[in-house]
Amino acid sequence: MDGAIVILGAPNDDQGTLSQIAISRCDIALTEWNKHSALKLICTGGIGEHFNTTSTAHAYYLKQYLMNKGVPETSFLALVESRFTFEDALLSKSVIDDNGITSVILVTSEFHLPRAKLVFCGVFPHIKFRYLAAITPLPYEKVLELEKHELQVMQREKHNLFTLRHSIKSGDIPKSLQDTEFYMSRSD
């Protein structure tokens, strides 16, 4: 296997209905998959207070949305049940490595793309990336708030990458996020 599309999660409501942001990401991933249906899909998102309070992983809702749009189940790799962007990358690593993925199309929203690029390139220095940015279907003022948040958390992500690189160089590779100190904010 060569390539995959990784779809980063966004909020859903307490019934599992995807937000406009999540749908916009799925739709751009679907458009790309329809052009290149040999690509596998990796959906991300677990359960968390700030984006999914149901008892079902957010990635499942992304997968169901895409399957309802005609994507067969055989086109999906394992769900990545992550809680925040850095964990999206870390937990995607085993899925990508185990399936011999050498190139990734990373799908997120335009306001989130600079951080997603930083994190995924840092976690996957040898993977070839292409990026697709979904346009956020929200009022301009709300998008500005989201962009402001992204700028505020970039330093934290740089620290997380430094911590990860230091762990790898010292041979103390973390088995899970609980084994190392990574930072996230409640609104990540």
Side-chain angles (χ1 to χ4, degrees):
M1 187 176 315
D2 183 45
I5 300 172
V6 176
I7 307 159
L8 300 187
N12 55 260
D13 69 15
D14 61 0
Q15 301 298 308
T17 304
L18 296 176
S19 66
Q20 292 176 349
I21 295 172
I23 290 171
S24 69
R25 292 177 185 185
C26 283
D27 287 345
I28 198 167
L30 179 63
T31 298
E32 188 67 17
W33 182 85
N34 280 326
K35 294 176 191 172
H36 309 283
S37 61
L39 294 172
K40 295 296 183 180
L41 295 161
I42 301 171
C43 299
T44 70
I47 297 170
E49 180 181 317
H50 62 285
F51 71 98
N52 177 20
T53 59
T54 72
S55 59
T56 302
H58 176 73
Y60 172 83
Y61 298 125
L62 296 177
K63 179 180 176 180
Q64 288 307 118
Y65 178 87
L66 291 165
M67 287 177 64
N68 289 338
K69 297 285 187 175
V71 179
E73 186 156 9
T74 56
S75 291
F76 293 89
L77 297 178
L79 299 178
V80 174
E81 297 186 24
S82 48
R83 299 167 293 164
F84 48 92
T85 305
F86 203 83
E87 200 172 59
D88 287 337
L90 286 179
L91 297 182
S92 294
K93 188 160 179 35
S94 63
V95 177
I96 288 169
D97 291 348
D98 292 350
N99 288 282
I101 303 295
T102 58
S103 65
V104 169
I105 298 171
L106 187 64
V107 176
T108 190
S109 301
E110 83 286 7
F111 70 86
H112 186 243
L113 189 58
R115 178 161 57 123
K117 278 182 175 181
L118 173 75
V119 170
F120 273 79
C121 286
V123 172
F124 296 98
H126 303 297
I127 294 284
K128 178 183 172 191
F129 281 97
R130 197 167 63 118
Y131 306 95
L132 293 178
I135 302 301
T136 304
L138 296 176
Y140 179 71
E141 295 77 24
K142 185 66 178 166
V143 174
L144 285 178
E145 287 176 31
L146 293 168
E147 288 174 347
K148 181 179 177 185
H149 166 76
E150 291 300 310
L151 288 173
Q152 291 170 344
V153 297
M154 286 295 276
Q155 194 60 37
R156 181 196 69 215
E157 300 297 30
K158 290 175 184 176
H159 172 79
N160 286 342
L161 287 168
F162 174 81
T163 302
L164 180 65
R165 286 185 194 120
H166 178 70
S167 296
I168 292 170
K169 283 181 184 176
S170 68
D172 186 24
I173 300 171
K175 294 182 189 86
S176 72
L177 287 179
Q178 289 76 29
D179 294 341
T180 191
E181 193 174 326
F182 292 101
Y183 299 100
M184 64 172 273
S185 68
R186 296 187 74 111
S187 62
D188 190 20

